[in-house]
Amino acid sequence: MTQLMGRPIVQVPGELGTRPVLADVLTGVRTALLGLAGVAVPVLGLWVVTPYADDDAAGAVRLAGALWLLGHGAPVLRGGADAPLTVTPLLLGLLVVGQLYRAGARAAARRGPRPRWSGPPAVWCGYCAVAAAVVAHCSGAGPFRARVLPDVLVVTLLAAAAMAAGARRARRAEGAPPGAGGPVLRWRALERALERALERVPDWARPAGGAAVIRTAALAAGAGLVAAGAAVLAVAAVLDAVAGTGRAAAVLAHGPAAVAGLLLLSVLLLPNAVLWGTAYALGPGFAVGAGTVVAPGGAVLGPLPEFPLFALVAEPGGGGWRSAACLLPALAGVAPALLLGRAAADGAERTDVRAGADRPAGAATPWHPAATAVAALAAALLTGVAGEVLGRLSGGALAGGRMAQLGPAPWRTGLAAAGWFAAVAVPGALLVRARALGRAAGRAPDKAAGRAPGRDTCRGVTAEGGGALAAGVSAGSALAGHARRSALLLRARAYALVLRLGPPVDGVGGTDGADGADGTVSASPDED
């Protein structure tokens, strides 16, 4: 009994033993099943509460598998006519990518001896095995049918890319020094690519050490544009509720189970709708069917499917208050302009510190105006590429024929995003740079005179009016000092007068002890 208890029954992974390959394969299977269960449980729940369901439990499972494949970006055929369904629910896609990313990071961060094919490759094989089984189940006849080769290829490529990214981050985090966070490692490749691209620019027009600032400005612009799309969507929902058109209410009046299913699908497509709102604010708009367009300049629509998000689409027509949505992208370019302008005024010192270089503080020089414009244009280019990619991911085909075109036009969205950013950020960054350099030049005389900068000046005053204001403040200070000295002298004379007229105190005489008209007081001699 003692010998049995002393032997390890289960081989512990890590430093005490080697984790078998089968364990990593089962980890991939578990990851895929968890994601599939997150889709299948709501679908089966809706099937249970539906009073007169057309399909059986196998049909509900097929629908869950089709939605899971759509979350990976895999195309699915719909109906007896095999109409393509390629719209990816981005919320489900984000959950899938995040799950794969964490699985790859955990597998790569596991320490201890391991076989050659264990770790992320084994996890990927287990995940792809479940995906192949789902594709095989959904490939038969039914309302939703998977395409075997395209679906398997898309799922395997997405799983490989997400797991490789997670594994790469985990390996870099192990070799990174303490305090080096994940975001620094995550964007290092992009910064290196930007630095290599900026090396081709002439020295006088090159933003020295500006790769990190360009990347940050592009991220700020992207966040601002997404916020603009969310604002457009929220305003459309509020206006539809206030106007009382009843379109959304008519869509939702199909029973509790149908309402719950439509709302669940709307939540999964909510990021898509936000990106469509971004395309609307940028100007090109989006399409809800072939030959249609929904833009601030006008809306040309046809018959729309009964869906809650489609009920928020603007009525045909355009102009008027709808054109005010185009101001949102301009506001989204203000923060990147401030970032680029401050970085251009500070020079290489601020940017090199962010990038991790050890350049001396005295080597920082402000960027040339052309370098500032180059940095803004590079950030605009990154924003345009991101807009094109997100516009392509958010759209697709909902069915065949007229509904084969849904979502924004990718190249128009990317071009509009880059154009709005360049139109706002380039002049804005130059203006912020000139203002910051003007303030620095105004503080230079104060430092040379030994005064603390900002003591004799006020905020918001331009460099042209700084000298006049400083002269006025100096004159006021002199007058205040003269008035203070006069007040002190007057108080001293009043005190002396009180001592002259008052009774003697401790040998100090009143009227008899005064020396004269000068106001001084002397003590009386003691009598013997």
Side-chain angles (χ1 to χ4, degrees):
M1 185 68 181
T2 305
Q3 294 178 356
L4 180 61
M5 295 181 63
R7 295 177 181 177
I9 299 177
V10 180
Q11 193 173 20
V12 180
E15 298 180 356
L16 301 180
T18 302
R19 184 181 178 90
V21 179
L22 181 60
D24 290 332
V25 173
L26 293 178
T27 300
V29 172
R30 181 189 62 184
T31 302
L33 290 179
L34 284 176
L36 185 60
V39 180
V41 169
V43 172
L44 290 175
L46 291 175
W47 175 78
V48 169
V49 300
T50 302
Y52 303 101
D54 296 334
D55 297 332
D56 53 1
V61 173
R62 179 190 295 270
L63 176 60
L67 287 176
W68 187 71
L69 293 176
L70 281 175
H72 293 76
V76 175
L77 300 178
R78 176 173 174 266
D82 290 341
L85 179 60
T86 60
V87 178
T88 303
L90 289 183
L91 182 59
L92 183 58
L94 291 175
L95 295 177
V96 167
V97 171
Q99 191 179 24
L100 291 170
Y101 186 87
R102 288 195 301 270
R106 291 197 195 100
R110 196 174 293 118
R111 298 181 179 180
R114 64 178 63 180
R116 180 178 180 182
W117 297 106
S118 65
V123 176
W124 175 78
C125 290
Y127 193 92
C128 292
V130 176
V134 172
V135 171
H137 177 72
C138 297
S139 60
F144 294 96
R145 188 167 64 87
R147 302 173 61 184
V148 178
L149 290 181
D151 290 353
V152 171
L153 182 62
V154 170
V155 173
T156 54
L157 289 179
L158 180 66
M163 287 188 180
R168 185 179 181 183
R169 178 184 178 274
R171 293 191 184 100
R172 287 190 174 184
E174 289 180 358
V184 176
L185 297 175
R186 199 174 301 164
W187 298 103
R188 184 73 68 183
L190 178 59
E191 292 182 9
R192 285 199 299 265
L194 286 173
E195 290 174 358
R196 287 194 296 268
L198 292 175
E199 288 178 358
R200 302 179 180 180
V201 181
D203 295 338
W204 61 273
R206 181 186 307 165
V213 179
I214 293 173
R215 185 255 304 168
T216 305
L219 288 177
L225 291 177
V226 172
V232 169
L233 182 64
V235 170
V238 171
L239 291 179
D240 183 76
V242 171
T245 57
R247 291 188 299 165
V251 171
L252 299 178
H254 295 287
V259 168
L262 289 175
L263 290 179
L264 179 61
L265 191 56
S266 299
V267 170
L268 292 179
L269 292 172
L270 190 60
N272 301 63
V274 170
L275 294 178
W276 294 3
T278 301
Y280 183 88
L282 288 172
F286 56 92
V288 192
T292 64
V293 62
V294 181
V300 179
L301 295 173
L304 296 177
E306 292 187 356
F307 191 67
L309 292 179
F310 291 157
L312 304 180
V313 174
E315 293 289 344
W321 60 269
R322 294 185 180 95
S323 301
C326 296
L327 296 177
L328 297 176
L331 296 177
V334 174
L338 292 175
L339 291 174
L340 293 170
R342 291 182 59 188
D346 293 348
E349 182 178 2
R350 175 188 294 271
T351 55
D352 285 349
V353 168
R354 290 183 179 180
D358 51 355
R359 178 181 293 228
T365 56
W367 293 348
H368 192 273
T372 306
V374 167
L377 291 176
L381 181 61
L382 288 179
T383 306
V385 172
E388 199 274 341
V389 172
L390 292 177
R392 191 174 298 277
L393 291 177
S394 64
L398 189 61
R402 180 177 173 274
M403 298 305 297
Q405 184 179 357
L406 187 67
W411 68 272
R412 291 181 181 177
T413 304
L415 186 61
W420 272 108
F421 186 94
V424 176
V426 172
L430 292 175
L431 181 61
V432 172
R433 172 189 175 277
R435 187 179 180 85
L437 292 179
R439 288 181 177 178
R443 289 193 298 265
D446 292 339
K447 293 182 179 179
R451 297 192 300 269
R455 291 288 183 87
D456 297 333
T457 57
C458 300
R459 291 185 178 178
V461 180
T462 58
E464 290 78 2
L469 179 61
V473 172
S474 300
S477 301
L479 291 175
H482 182 68
R484 184 180 180 185
R485 287 192 297 271
S486 300
L488 291 176
L489 183 59
L490 182 60
R491 186 178 64 176
R493 290 180 178 179
Y495 183 70
L497 182 61
V498 169
L499 290 180
R500 283 186 64 186
L501 299 178
V505 179
D506 294 337
V508 179
T511 307
D512 297 333
D515 289 341
D518 58 349
T520 58
V521 181
S522 61
S524 300
D526 296 335
E527 295 181 357
D528 294 334

